[in-house]
Amino acid sequence: MAKKIIIDTDPGIDDILALLLALSATPEEVEVLLISLTFGNIEVQNCLRNAVSMFHILEREMQWRRENGRPEGFGSLRACRPILAVGAADPLANQKMLADYFHGIDGLGGIHATHPHLTANKAWVHLFAETIEGGGIEPVEDCTGPNDHAFTPSKRPAYKEILRALRDNEPDTVTLVAVGPLTNLAVAAAEDPETFLRVKEVVVMGGAIDEPGNVTPTGEFNAYADAVAAARIFALTSPNPHTTVPPTTNDRLPPYPQKLSRQLTLRLFPLDITLRHNLSRGQFREAITPLLDAGSPLAEWVHAFMGHTFRTLERLHPGHVGDDAMLSLHDPVCVWYAMTSEDPKWVYSANSPEDIRIDTCGQWTRGMCVIDRRNRHRIEGEEESSSDHGLWLSGRAGNRIWRMDGSPGEENFGNVIIERLFK
């Protein structure tokens, strides 16, 4: 039976590769119910343009493949059109931070200016909603009428679509893959925590444990971009979420109920594992060149933004030059887990489930994954003691995070992406 997934994303270069990976699956492997968009790498309006342009390119690619006697591929997309919904434009708290220094202002290395023929016509804008002051998307009535696109547009905010998908499916049948800031998830969980907890598991790309951060010495981008949202979602893994949830004065969301029916299952993919899944410029060039020569629209589109990516990597990282430049496939590896989670080669950290908490207000440590590394005896009860501020040693408090530490084929994951998308 196909795995049902929701992808919450801020596309973004590696986000687009993650989406393409999911949509390239067979109908028996994956059914993408919903793609929910959030700010993150770029402003949410640019995320929407990139997602719609992706579907536009895929429609052209499948037509090109048919006309040239090639297998169409992207069976999951052909079998079920995902809903596309726009979500959070800003974090719950703290100043907004974007990653356009890496992805470009438009999220795809300036592709909409350099390759305008690859961008979807602006007629799609009316399918979603009107932009309101502050850069958000105003929720209005659902779309009705015929839709000839490869996606189903929604005028509901993304968090409501997440809750709708979880209500419409049996408990423990939908995996939510979150590869951007966790704002949409936090709003959905605050709105209706019991419906949110119907999810089978939440797969999160975020955080850094033993690796340094990528935006501060301790902070990974997604966790840093909305640390309060991340902390709130992590707290749902605790037997008592109030022991780790940040103070409600820090954001606009209400506290969770004192008693919830179950704990959230959260699989965390920090930089420690995602940095081991890479695609080199040499691998990419070798695969893409014959497809460019043959006229593949998808190859032309991906080649355009990947060229920007490898040039940026050369500028930012010593040693990343020429064919040896490596793009870390942070987000695709999370989608790959959702597609292949039954594979026994997926490995958790030795201490899983771990009490991992997100710092929300430190001057230098916002977004940091905090772990108790002390060698101390456990303490019974739920009351703080002078020797255990924060209830780190209590068996009835703290988060329960399943941290991923190994995958099937991490040495050749770049080839997995190439095979799935282009062969």
Side-chain angles (χ1 to χ4, degrees):
M1 181 179 294
K3 297 180 174 67
K4 297 180 179 182
I5 66 173
I6 296 169
I7 303 177
D8 190 78
T9 178
D10 54 338
I13 289 160
D14 58 325
D15 303 74
I16 288 290
L17 296 178
L19 291 170
L20 290 172
L21 176 61
L23 297 172
S24 73
T26 67
E28 295 75 28
E29 288 178 314
V30 167
E31 179 182 355
V32 182
L33 302 176
L34 167 67
I35 297 171
S36 57
L37 303 177
T38 178
F39 83 96
N41 291 320
I42 47 175
E43 299 285 1
V44 73
Q45 297 96 326
N46 286 330
C47 292
L48 177 58
R49 178 169 60 172
N50 293 344
V52 174
S53 292
M54 176 191 70
F55 285 110
H56 167 69
I57 291 295
L58 286 176
E59 290 170 0
R60 290 177 53 187
E61 175 72 8
M62 288 185 288
Q63 180 181 350
W64 175 80
R65 292 184 183 185
R66 287 193 301 270
E67 292 173 349
N68 287 271
R70 298 170 180 254
E72 283 185 69
F74 299 95
S76 176
L77 175 60
R78 288 186 284 115
C80 179
R81 293 185 309 194
I83 293 172
L84 182 62
V86 181
D90 298 287
L92 298 178
N94 300 120
Q95 183 177 0
K96 179 161 63 177
M97 175 184 179
L98 304 175
D100 49 14
Y101 69 92
F102 182 83
H103 296 267
I105 296 297
D106 68 358
L108 294 177
I111 194 171
H112 302 294
T114 60
H115 296 70
H117 61 290
L118 299 178
T119 298
N121 189 294
K122 287 189 176 181
W124 55 263
V125 174
H126 78 279
L127 298 173
F128 293 89
E130 297 177 358
T131 302
I132 60 174
E133 185 177 356
I137 301 294
E138 182 179 1
V140 293
E141 71 279 358
D142 288 339
C143 290
T144 57
N147 171 29
D148 59 356
H149 302 281
F151 61 91
T152 300
S154 174
K155 291 185 178 180
R156 292 183 183 182
Y159 79 91
K160 288 188 177 294
E161 286 291 2
I162 291 172
L163 292 172
R164 180 203 55 76
L166 294 174
R167 289 190 193 101
D168 289 352
N169 290 276
E170 291 296 317
D172 296 317
T173 60
V174 177
T175 294
L176 206 170
V177 182
V179 293
L182 298 182
T183 316
N184 287 334
L185 278 66
V187 176
E191 171 96 354
D192 189 343
E194 289 296 345
T195 294
F196 187 80
L197 289 173
R198 291 168 63 94
V199 72
K200 177 182 178 181
E201 57 188 359
V202 174
V203 180
V204 173
M205 191 282 122
I209 307 300
D210 296 316
E211 286 285 335
N214 57 8
V215 291
T216 71
T218 61
E220 176 276 330
F221 175 80
N222 288 338
Y224 184 92
D226 197 340
V228 171
R232 288 185 65 101
I233 292 299
F234 279 38
L236 287 173
T237 69
S238 172
N240 293 288
H242 70 275
T243 62
T244 62
V245 77
T248 55
T249 53
N250 286 356
D251 63 75
R252 59 181 183 270
L253 300 181
Y256 295 132
Q258 282 294 313
K259 295 294 182 182
L260 292 169
S261 63
R262 59 194 297 186
Q263 295 167 235
L264 177 68
T265 299
L266 192 152
R267 318 287 185 194
L268 183 65
F269 284 75
L271 294 178
D272 305 62
I273 182 172
T274 62
L275 286 171
R276 304 201 301 264
H277 294 76
N278 299 290
L279 173 64
S280 74
R281 178 188 261 149
Q283 280 179 292
F284 180 73
R285 179 182 49 77
E286 183 177 345
I288 211 75
T289 299
L291 293 170
L292 290 171
D293 294 341
S296 161
L298 180 61
E300 182 184 5
W301 190 60
V302 176
H303 179 261
F305 65 73
M306 288 291 280
H308 161 87
T309 303
F310 287 121
R311 289 190 297 273
T312 302
L313 288 167
E314 284 183 322
R315 187 178 73 251
L316 294 177
H317 299 289
H320 283 254
V321 295
D323 280 354
D324 293 331
M326 288 277 191
L327 173 66
S328 292
L329 301 168
H330 305 289
D331 298 343
V333 71
C334 296
V335 168
W336 186 238
Y337 167 80
M339 294 169 64
T340 64
S341 57
E342 72 285 350
D343 192 317
K345 293 180 181 177
W346 287 105
V347 177
Y348 300 110
S349 69
N351 296 322
S352 288
E354 298 175 75
D355 185 1
I356 302 175
R357 309 186 194 183
I358 302 292
D359 184 34
T360 60
C361 56
Q363 181 180 3
W364 308 118
T365 56
R366 170 180 152 192
M368 178 182 179
C369 287
V370 182
I371 296 177
D372 189 354
R373 303 180 190 273
R374 300 172 295 176
N375 184 18
R376 300 280 295 277
H377 290 295
R378 307 297 293 178
I379 296 176
E380 294 300 320
E382 298 179 32
E383 298 297 326
E384 276 195 341
S385 71
S386 57
S387 63
D388 184 30
H389 181 68
L391 291 169
W392 287 91
L393 301 175
S394 170
R396 300 179 185 178
N399 297 330
R400 306 289 190 270
I401 305 295
W402 293 90
R403 175 163 65 93
M404 307 306 299
D405 195 38
S407 76
E410 65 184 51
E411 294 299 323
N412 63 349
F413 189 59
N415 289 331
V416 171
I417 294 292
I418 289 169
E419 290 287 333
R420 285 278 177 159
L421 270 56
F422 299 112
K423 299 297 177 69

